[in-house]
Amino acid sequence: MTWYCVFLDEHRVAQGEDRCLVRQFQALYERAGNEAVALFSAAHPGHGMDLYFSPESVQVARGLIEYYGGTPCEPPDCHNVHTLVGQQGARSRLLAHGPA
């Protein structure tokens, strides 16, 4: 299964689109009841943010991902992301820890 990423530039973040996306995803997450459904964020070098949807999230949030222009991507590095929505420990369970 594939990870997806949504990039929001600084203007979209300033307009609150990140908070809107997170609220919508939170509602989907609560209905899913699946510990592998999670949303992560990372600061983007171009002054915005990347939002990463775990592979299991795609099943429950496909419309949301498409609406925000999500694209398939590699899994993010565990050390570079923060969990926005997900069970405690989701980051360490779902993401590789990178080189030791």
Side-chain angles (χ1 to χ4, degrees):
M1 292 206 287
T2 303
W3 284 80
Y4 274 77
C5 179
V6 166
F7 169 69
L8 298 177
D9 65 28
E10 68 267 15
H11 301 293
R12 292 176 78 182
V13 172
Q15 292 173 345
E17 285 191 55
D18 58 323
R19 292 184 304 275
C20 184
L21 186 153
V22 170
R23 279 193 307 272
Q24 292 174 73
F25 185 83
Q26 178 72 38
L28 296 168
Y29 166 79
E30 290 172 5
R31 286 190 294 246
N34 182 335
E35 66 182 31
V37 171
L39 178 64
F40 303 94
S41 70
H44 191 277
H47 305 290
M49 73 173 13
D50 288 317
L51 299 165
Y52 294 97
F53 295 80
S54 67
E56 292 289 332
S57 297
V58 177
Q59 296 177 31
V60 298
R62 183 172 305 282
L64 185 63
I65 294 167
E66 289 174 358
Y67 178 82
Y68 283 97
T71 58
C73 66
E74 293 296 317
D77 184 318
C78 179
H79 300 290
N80 296 327
V81 297
H82 302 281
T83 305
L84 294 175
V85 179
Q87 288 187 349
Q88 184 174 356
R91 186 174 70 165
S92 61
R93 259 193 337 277
L94 301 175
L95 296 169
H97 292 280

